[in-house]
Amino acid sequence: MQQFTRLVGIARLASEGSVLSEKRRVEYRSLPTRKWLNRCQSKRVPFDWTINPYRGCEFGCKYCYARYTHEFMEIPDLEAFETEIYAKDWCGDSFRRELRSVRRGQVIGLGTATDPYQPAERKFGRTRNLLEALLGVQGISLFVTTKSDLAARDADLFRELAKKNEVRVTFSVTTLNGDLTRLIEPFAPRPYLRIEAVGKLTAADVHAGVICSPVLPLITDSAENLGAVAEAAKAAGADQFGANVLFLQPSAQRVFFPFLAERFPEYVARYRREYASGAFLKGVYPEKIRQRVHDIRERLGLLRRDFEHATVPVPQDAQLLLF
């Protein structure tokens, strides 16, 4: 007799959702939601709270670290993260009650496990819903991270929120090379659109910055590539620039390594070797990238991104661990 696993938690809630809409490669589903605010336990970022209006992301970035989040819903198919998108059920009154737990001086990160401005936002407007609800809060910091030029749509709300809070919108731009972008981020907005969005937000007096993250070793890690992104960001009015080296969770490796084998086969063995001991690279290589980014900031007069990782001291006898 066939055995069935009893779903619990978010897996059960996901199973209770209904299909909201469909298009050629993506199905949108509703997600019954108990809460929107999540306490942040990570020591790598300074957020007290995180908000992710959606589950899954259809941008399809080959390196995406957040693919594991679909596993919580008992969805093991790796491609489902980018083809089954869940829009959380919205209730403004419930969310505003949650906001009573947020204290002055605390930091909310919006878009930590899925892009808040992916195409689903055009259909469902969950991100704009929560920004409107946040207008009643004061004395907090709101950090938004996205790959989408759609963020410029909400310049009015960011500007209004910034009257009583710290608000910063950061765009991830890994490279200005359009052909390369189409390989590594196949369904994300083109780089120049993201840079244009930086300009639209800064023109509206909204603080906007750019991160060249993740830095892909041997692919996007050159001083020329990082410098070109930073120069474009500066020209658009960005006041901050940063970058962090790629980290690869096991779920991300299962997508990224086959991608490398197809598009960059000469790098596969080196990546497998250096990421064999963990998702994060350690040693001289990440320090080298941090120094490269620091030099670019110094040259262009850009600020350090507020919540970049602190520099990890490298022992004098450290070996070059990667590339």
Side-chain angles (χ1 to χ4, degrees):
M1 179 170 33
Q2 185 177 3
Q3 298 295 314
F4 294 94
T5 301
R6 182 173 179 270
L7 298 177
V8 297
I10 193 169
R12 180 178 62 79
L13 294 174
S15 71
E16 294 172 354
S18 59
V19 176
L20 297 173
S21 178
E22 293 180 282
K23 59 183 185 181
R24 184 174 60 85
R25 64 177 291 273
V26 178
E27 178 180 88
Y28 299 111
R29 302 184 65 88
S30 65
L31 180 61
T33 303
R34 295 193 183 103
K35 62 179 182 177
W36 278 63
L37 278 171
N38 297 288
R39 274 285 189 182
C40 182
Q41 306 297 329
S42 174
K43 295 180 180 179
R44 294 182 175 275
V45 291
F47 306 137
D48 299 288
W49 305 91
T50 62
I51 305 177
N52 290 286
Y54 303 96
R55 280 268 182 169
C57 180
E58 62 185 283
F59 286 159
C61 301
K62 299 301 182 181
Y63 50 73
C64 182
Y65 65 86
R67 290 179 182 273
Y68 72 92
T69 58
H70 260 41
E71 296 174 4
F72 295 148
M73 299 187 294
E74 300 294 338
I75 303 175
D77 182 1
L78 292 173
E79 290 188 1
F81 179 79
E82 59 194 71
T83 59
E84 294 181 21
I85 309 301
Y86 290 80
K88 294 182 178 179
D89 289 346
W90 174 253
C91 175
D93 290 340
S94 177
F95 180 66
R96 280 184 283 271
R97 284 194 295 271
E98 286 188 67
L99 288 175
R100 296 172 187 169
S101 298
V102 180
R103 300 290 178 255
R104 291 181 67 90
Q106 291 191 321
V107 182
I108 296 177
L110 172 57
T112 56
T114 183
D115 199 302
Y117 286 103
Q118 61 178 292
E121 173 62 14
R122 295 186 187 276
K123 287 178 172 289
F124 308 116
R126 300 296 196 260
T127 298
R128 190 165 178 90
N129 289 154
L130 70 89
L131 291 177
E132 290 171 339
L134 282 169
L135 290 174
V137 176
Q138 59 181 352
I140 67 165
S141 295
L142 176 67
F143 291 153
V144 182
T145 305
T146 182
K147 279 188 171 68
S148 176
D149 57 311
L150 181 59
R153 177 203 66 183
D154 291 338
D156 59 331
L157 289 176
F158 292 134
R159 187 173 56 246
E160 189 65 24
L161 281 165
K163 292 179 180 179
K164 298 180 180 179
N165 307 278
E166 178 187 16
V167 177
R168 290 191 175 275
V169 182
T170 301
F171 292 85
S172 170
V173 182
T174 50
T175 179
L176 298 181
N177 183 321
D179 292 336
L180 180 56
T181 300
R182 274 289 167 259
L183 291 179
I184 61 178
E185 303 161 356
F187 301 103
R190 287 165 286 183
Y192 81 87
L193 292 174
R194 303 178 217 176
I195 296 296
E196 286 182 356
V198 171
K200 291 177 181 178
L201 287 178
T202 57
D205 295 323
V206 177
H207 286 291
V210 169
I211 50 172
C212 196
S213 294
V215 175
L216 306 181
L218 298 172
I219 300 173
T220 66
D221 64 350
S222 69
E224 292 74 19
N225 182 71
L226 296 172
V229 174
E231 289 166 6
K234 173 78 172 181
D239 58 0
Q240 292 185 336
F241 176 73
N244 286 311
V245 175
L246 171 72
F247 73 96
L248 285 174
Q249 301 273 22
S251 58
Q253 291 183 20
R254 292 198 295 272
V255 173
F256 190 70
F257 285 161
F259 162 75
L260 282 180
E262 178 183 356
R263 295 294 185 172
F264 301 95
E266 66 274 26
Y267 301 151
V268 173
R270 297 169 78 176
Y271 266 86
R272 287 190 179 278
R273 180 177 67 248
E274 302 303 339
Y275 281 97
S277 60
F280 292 90
L281 296 181
K282 300 176 182 178
V284 173
Y285 178 78
E287 177 61 25
K288 176 182 177 182
I289 296 302
R290 278 190 285 268
Q291 186 61 49
R292 184 170 290 172
V293 171
H294 171 77
D295 293 345
I296 290 170
R297 277 195 296 254
E298 289 289 299
R299 174 169 62 85
L300 297 176
L302 289 166
L303 298 175
R304 186 175 186 270
R305 194 186 185 204
D306 286 342
F307 52 94
E308 276 186 23
H309 305 331
T311 299
V312 179
V314 180
Q316 290 184 352
D317 61 348
Q319 299 297 309
L320 184 62
L321 296 183
L322 179 64
F323 311 114

